[in-house]
Structure formats: C-alpha cells, structure tokens
Amino acid sequence: MAVEAVFSAIGDPTRRAIVERLSRSDATVNELASPFSMTLQAVAKHIRILEGAGVIRKKKIGRSYHCALNRAVLTEARSWLDDLERDWSDRLDRLGDFLAEDAKSDRPAQ
Amino acid sequence: MAVEAVFSAIGDPTRRAIVERLSRSDATVNELASPFSMTLQAVAKHIRILEGAGVIRKKKIGRSYHCALNRAVLTEARSWLDDLERDWSDRLDRLGDFLAEDAKSDRPAQ
DNA sequence: CTTATACTAAACCAATTGGTTTACTAAAAA
DNA sequence: TTTTTAGTAAACCAATTGGTTTAGTATAAG
C-alpha cells in the first residue's frame, strides 16, 4: 500500500505517541485520547488519519471503538528504510564516502 | 536522537524522493533539484529540513554544496519501527489479537 | 575585471494541517 | 423512558508548510 501515507502519518508527534501506545496494548478512542490535553475530537482526527494510512484498524464493539496496530503496514515502512540503507551500503562498499571525514561533525555545512 | 524530526522530514514525498536519490549516489543541491519541476530554492528548503533533521549532511566544495545521507539517523528511525514491531509482537504472543477475525468480546487491556 | 554559476536568505502567499466548537447518533445505564 | 457515554461529522480558525519571487554572496570562468 502507500508507504507515502504511512510516513506522513507517523511524522506527527501526537500520532507517533498513539502508535507507541498501541504497541503496548490495544485501546479505545477514549483511552487513546485521555493522556493528551487536546480534545477527544482532535485525537479522533489523528486516529482517522492513522486509519486512512492503514497504520491502525478500528472496530466498533458496543458503543466504543477499539483500535489496534496493523503490523503489515508498519513492516512496509521499515522495509523502505531497510532498502534505503542497503542501497546506500552497497554503494559505499563500491565507491567510498567522500564526506567520510566530516562524518563526526553534525553541524550543517555553511 | 530526534526521531521526531526524522519521521516528519521523510513524511514529505519530495524529501523522500531526495533521500532515495541520495541512496543511489551523493549529489549537489543542483543535481538534487533538477528532476523536480519546482524552483531550486524550494528544493534547497527541503534539503535544509533534511539537514536539520540529521538525515543528510552537506559540504561546500568550491561553489557547490555536496549532499550525502547520514546513515546513523536513518538507522535510528528504523530502530523505532523495529522496537514498535517487537513490542507489538511480544504482546500478541502473550495475549492474542482481540481484533482477529472472529472478534471475541475480549476487553482491551489497560 | 566582469560575468556566470551555485547556491543562501528573506519576504511573501495560498493551501494544508492541527486544533477548536457545536451538533448529531448509537448504545448502555439509571 | 430518560440520561449518560462514546464516539462521529462538520464548520471554522490560526499556525504551519510548501511553494514562489527577489535579492545577495562566494567561487569559477572568460
């Protein structure tokens, strides 16, 4: 599916917190919202974005909505990073890193 | 360190394209900008965001700026996803998935 | 020296985002 | 039945974002 949507979904700190929370246990929308100072509606919006990206699934049980992570999509995101690192490593094995000497300084170039 | 900034940085499609491009070879700001229809300045802004997040490094050589991926930070992002998946899997091993197809009336864990 | 190149810096603008409030519905509790 | 709970839906708003243009700086080429 869309790795596109996944990264942009977990790019938001609130949504990453929700995802982390769900990695520990499934939870209802209310349970997910309670740690935040924002309104339930705001959190519900974030949840819908995560749902739209396929990061989580939601299911109505009684009058509450239970949420759970969708492993497949998260695995896809990880694969994107895996592939990236592999391509990068392969290339370095062949060519060497012309920026290697600067690797220690984190400062942006000027 | 700031997985925060990393995910929000690669949450943008233009910036992900830049990162993918850099996984194949290092490149100058001009080289990175050329495939895009937007202005050089717009791409330069994206590059600065990636740099600020620690995803890439930039170095002035002559009058051009050369960019390269910063493996460490990308690895961190991958670790976040790894940890997430590990926590999630561990929990499922212990509890089972209440959203699994036949939908038992399992209460969500706290 | 003069001009072109490869950028950076900053002002500016429209569209998107993240939040609010207000209003609604379905299910459980009293 | 009436009320409360657990949400959804939508209008609305301020701040951020992603783009532009204009202007400036350092280096290389003519």
Side-chain angles (χ1 to χ4, degrees):
Chain A
M1 210 188 281
V3 168
E4 289 284 327
V6 178
F7 277 117
S8 114
I10 61 177
D12 178 85
T14 302
R15 292 193 289 266
R16 263 198 316 286
I18 291 171
V19 168
E20 282 178 344
R21 166 69 178 78
L22 285 174
S23 76
R24 291 192 295 277
S25 74
D26 295 336
T28 64
V29 171
N30 254 315
E31 287 167 343
L32 289 174
S34 63
F36 298 99
S37 55
M38 67 185 81
T39 62
L40 170 72
Q41 288 88 335
V43 176
K45 258 184 170 184
H46 284 298
I47 290 172
R48 244 165 276 138
I49 289 168
L50 287 167
E51 204 186 355
V55 174
I56 73 176
R57 288 171 295 133
K58 214 163 53 171
K59 184 184 187 179
K60 194 174 185 182
I61 298 180
R63 67 184 158 180
S64 50
Y65 288 77
H66 293 243
C67 306
L69 284 185
N70 180 10
R71 172 193 240 161
V73 172
L74 263 344
T75 302
E76 257 186 79
R78 215 186 41 149
S79 290
W80 186 87
L81 288 168
D82 280 341
D83 292 351
L84 199 78
E85 218 187 329
R86 183 175 37 69
D87 288 351
W88 191 85
S89 298
D90 287 355
R91 182 170 63 81
L92 286 199
D93 288 347
R94 295 194 308 273
L95 300 175
D97 184 8
F98 79 91
L99 284 180
E101 281 152 54
D102 264 17
K104 284 132 203 163
S105 98
D106 278 338
R107 299 180 293 98
Q110 195 68 318
Chain B
M1 205 186 335
V3 169
E4 289 285 325
V6 178
F7 278 117
S8 113
I10 60 178
D12 177 85
T14 301
R15 291 193 288 266
R16 264 199 316 286
I18 290 171
V19 168
E20 282 178 345
R21 166 69 180 78
L22 285 174
S23 77
R24 292 192 294 279
S25 74
D26 296 336
T28 65
V29 171
N30 253 316
E31 288 167 345
L32 289 173
S34 62
F36 298 99
S37 55
M38 68 186 80
T39 62
L40 170 72
Q41 287 89 336
V43 177
K45 257 184 170 183
H46 284 297
I47 290 172
R48 244 165 276 137
I49 289 168
L50 286 167
E51 204 185 357
V55 174
I56 73 176
R57 289 171 294 132
K58 212 162 51 170
K59 185 185 186 177
K60 194 175 185 182
I61 299 180
R63 67 184 158 181
S64 50
Y65 288 76
H66 293 244
C67 305
L69 283 184
N70 180 9
R71 171 192 240 162
V73 172
L74 263 346
T75 302
E76 260 185 76
R78 214 187 41 150
S79 290
W80 186 86
L81 289 168
D82 280 342
D83 291 352
L84 199 78
E85 217 188 327
R86 184 175 39 71
D87 287 352
W88 190 84
S89 298
D90 287 355
R91 182 170 64 80
L92 286 199
D93 288 347
R94 294 194 309 272
L95 300 175
D97 184 7
F98 80 92
L99 281 182
E101 346 168 43
D102 79 307
K104 289 257 81 287
S105 55
D106 259 356
R107 298 188 302 101
Q110 292 203 40

